[in-house]
Amino acid sequence: MNCIFCQIAKKELPATIIYEDESFVAFKDINPIAPIHYLIIPKKHITSINHLELQDKELMGELFLAAKKIAKTQGIADNGYRLVFNVGKDSGQMVDHLHLHLLGGKKLLWS
Amino acid sequence: MNCIFCQIAKKELPATIIYEDESFVAFKDINPIAPIHYLIIPKKHITSINHLELQDKELMGELFLAAKKIAKTQGIADNGYRLVFNVGKDSGQMVDHLHLHLLGGKKLLWS
């Protein structure tokens, strides 16, 4: 499979990794739209939220516990942050490997 | 507790509910920023992602399976959509009851 996020998870492609555990890797987005902009991905290849299966339920829960932990260690838990999944073309999803955007470090727009 | 989203979940406050199951309610955002803009909330009161606990893991996974299902029944699964958690003041979180924004029905901006 030629998935670039699978390759990042396996360290076959470079990325600025800021967190890793058994199930997830988090790294800096190369086109940041906020002072803090990380992508948190499961090491397991899941294409998008549209491709979630019942068996992924626990993994998805763990992803948000990881996101909470990363926001805290990166110092944005108190001021606040945004978590985003883009799904499909209307959203601008760029890579077909499920990834959670963690955005923070400024007042985030909403419109 | 005076949480307005708990009150919506209990039908003590009105909302345009578009989905409900044992654990979740989804309803129209009263200040939509996209043609489709729903909020999906757990019936259980959780203040925000910062307040998630280990015991909420399965519920969070179920939330995304519900979101996937709602996107499909609302006809936006194929064109795409965005799922957003705002957490705390930098994000503009307006109600202190965890809610997942489901946005779609147009090309969504990213900046």
Side-chain angles (χ1 to χ4, degrees):
Chain A
M1 212 152 47
N2 276 329
C3 169
I4 62 169
F5 284 179
C6 283
Q7 290 175 294
I8 285 174
K10 289 183 204 152
K11 318 290 163 62
E12 295 169 1
L13 278 180
T16 306
I17 291 175
I18 56 103
Y19 175 85
E20 180 167 13
D21 65 23
E22 197 186 334
S23 305
F24 306 103
V25 175
F27 52 94
K28 290 189 179 180
D29 192 302
I30 56 167
N31 293 306
I33 62 167
I36 286 181
H37 188 168
Y38 303 132
L39 303 179
I40 312 171
I41 65 168
K43 292 181 177 177
K44 175 183 174 183
H45 184 84
I46 300 169
T47 302
S48 79
I49 294 290
N50 275 344
H51 299 77
L52 274 188
E53 296 182 15
L54 194 55
Q55 68 199 26
D56 300 316
K57 191 167 67 174
E58 201 165 338
L59 187 71
M60 289 300 288
E62 286 165 0
L63 174 56
F64 283 89
L65 291 168
K68 172 191 169 186
K69 193 193 301 184
I70 293 167
K72 186 156 189 173
T73 57
Q74 295 293 325
I76 55 172
D78 290 341
N79 282 336
Y81 54 93
R82 181 169 291 160
L83 297 169
V84 182
F85 281 123
N86 287 323
V87 188
K89 64 180 190 316
D90 269 2
S91 71
Q93 182 178 3
M94 301 284 280
V95 176
D96 289 338
H97 181 129
L98 186 145
H99 50 287
L100 182 64
H101 294 266
L102 168 57
L103 301 163
K106 68 168 187 180
K107 292 262 178 208
L108 299 160
L109 298 176
W110 187 247
S111 61
Chain B
M1 210 154 45
N2 275 327
C3 169
I4 62 170
F5 284 180
C6 284
Q7 289 175 296
I8 286 175
K10 289 184 207 151
K11 318 288 164 62
E12 295 170 2
L13 277 180
T16 306
I17 291 175
I18 56 104
Y19 175 85
E20 180 168 13
D21 64 24
E22 197 185 335
S23 305
F24 306 103
V25 175
F27 53 94
K28 291 189 179 180
D29 193 303
I30 56 167
N31 293 306
I33 62 166
I36 286 181
H37 188 168
Y38 303 132
L39 303 179
I40 312 170
I41 66 169
K43 292 181 177 177
K44 176 184 174 184
H45 184 85
I46 300 170
T47 302
S48 79
I49 295 290
N50 276 344
H51 299 76
L52 275 188
E53 294 181 15
L54 194 56
Q55 69 199 26
D56 301 316
K57 192 165 66 172
E58 201 165 338
L59 188 71
M60 289 299 289
E62 286 165 0
L63 174 57
F64 283 89
L65 291 168
K68 172 191 170 184
K69 193 194 299 184
I70 294 166
K72 184 155 191 173
T73 57
Q74 296 292 325
I76 54 172
D78 289 342
N79 283 337
Y81 54 94
R82 181 169 291 159
L83 296 169
V84 181
F85 281 123
N86 287 325
V87 188
K89 64 181 191 313
D90 269 2
S91 72
Q93 181 178 4
M94 301 285 279
V95 176
D96 288 338
H97 181 129
L98 186 146
H99 50 287
L100 181 64
H101 294 266
L102 169 58
L103 301 163
K106 69 168 186 178
K107 292 262 178 209
L108 298 160
L109 298 176
W110 187 246
S111 60

